[in-house]
Amino acid sequence: MTTTNTSSKIPKAPGRFRLPDIPDREPDEVTQYDQLFHRGLSNDLRVHLGNYESTLVGADHWIAPDADFDKRRARYPDLLVAFGVDPEIYRENNGYVVSEQGKAPDWVLEVASESTGENDVGDKREYYQTLGIPEYWRFDETGEHHGTKLAGDVLVDGRYQPMEIEELAGGVLQGYSRALGLYLRWEEGRLVLHDPATSAPIATLESEGQARLLEQEGRVQAEARADTAEARNRELEEELRRLRGD
């Protein structure tokens, strides 16, 4: 969502520009929280990508081209990814300043809501294109606010071109992000990130917890089988000694 406040320069922190906080979100933007943060998807993506010292996964902060920050034209995405940058500068700037990082983010995502849908497919698309962001993705839980449930644009010769979105069994929609090396999927109203290397969703706190639980159950079962075998061996040895009259 944008704001019509008057332009303002970025206040200087020691050695850094610092962007102001974003405006309070509209109540209907709970969809963004539900899809990206309630289930931990943003952190799952951060862990999957790794390289924390040079890979940034950020959310809810302005993207500005330089220190001449103007709220009337700047935007803030629901989620961004940038490779080969300095996450500490992002924190010090309180947002992403392209001139400070030396490059635009590699990937941005907007999650639809009634109050932001029109901007997502209009002003924001133009702004991200102007900044030179290679991939711009949009996810719409219902398809009512973006006009489609899943869409992606790739920058070609300075202009965004739509990416191919395929329909899979069960009404699942899927598009491939070269920037992330992952498939984005619309699955029953949920945003899911699939890893083509494993043909499965990226690891989540929930899936890792289940894997640890299964591992623990397997270990307990193996120990129980070993205990049973040991007890049976003792019984056989006692029976053998009895037969020999030991």
Side-chain angles (χ1 to χ4, degrees), residues 35-85:
Q35 293 292 338
L36 301 179
F37 309 121
H38 178 66
R39 299 187 181 99
L41 183 64
S42 58
N43 187 63
D44 297 337
L45 178 59
R46 176 178 175 270
V47 172
H48 175 82
L49 295 175
N51 299 318
Y52 302 138
E53 292 183 356
S54 61
T55 298
L56 170 67
V57 178
D60 280 349
H61 286 77
W62 297 101
I63 299 179
D66 49 43
D68 294 323
F69 176 70
D70 186 344
K71 289 184 181 179
R72 293 172 299 182
R73 65 186 183 92
R75 304 290 185 269
Y76 50 92
D78 290 329
L79 195 64
L80 72 82
V81 174
F83 301 103
V85 297

Side-chain angles (χ1 to χ4, degrees), residues 8-13 16-23 60-71 73-77 80 89-101 127:
S8 59
K9 296 287 186 179
I10 303 172
K12 283 190 176 183
R16 292 285 175 209
F17 300 115
R18 185 168 178 82
L19 295 162
D21 294 335
I22 64 170
D60 280 349
H61 286 77
W62 297 101
I63 299 179
D66 49 43
D68 294 323
F69 176 70
D70 186 344
K71 289 184 181 179
R73 65 186 183 92
R75 304 290 185 269
Y76 50 92
L80 72 82
I89 292 178
Y90 178 78
R91 287 187 284 271
E92 291 178 3
N93 289 154
N94 197 35
Y96 197 100
V97 182
V98 176
S99 62
E100 289 279 286
Q101 296 286 3
Y127 183 67

Side-chain angles (χ1 to χ4, degrees), residues 1-8 20-26 29 62-63 69-76 115-116 119 123-124 127:
M1 189 183 76
T2 60
T3 177
T4 56
N5 290 354
T6 58
S7 64
S8 59
D21 294 335
I22 64 170
D24 291 336
R25 283 192 170 271
E26 297 294 336
E29 293 184 71
W62 297 101
I63 299 179
F69 176 70
D70 186 344
K71 289 184 181 179
R72 293 172 299 182
R73 65 186 183 92
R75 304 290 185 269
Y76 50 92
S115 62
T116 66
N119 281 335
D123 293 344
K124 283 188 174 181
Y127 183 67

Side-chain angles (χ1 to χ4, degrees), residues 144-163:
E144 297 175 357
H145 308 304
H146 287 165
T148 185
K149 295 174 179 176
L150 180 66
D153 289 315
V154 60
L155 200 65
V156 178
D157 296 328
R159 304 289 296 178
Y160 275 144
Q161 301 295 330
M163 294 186 188

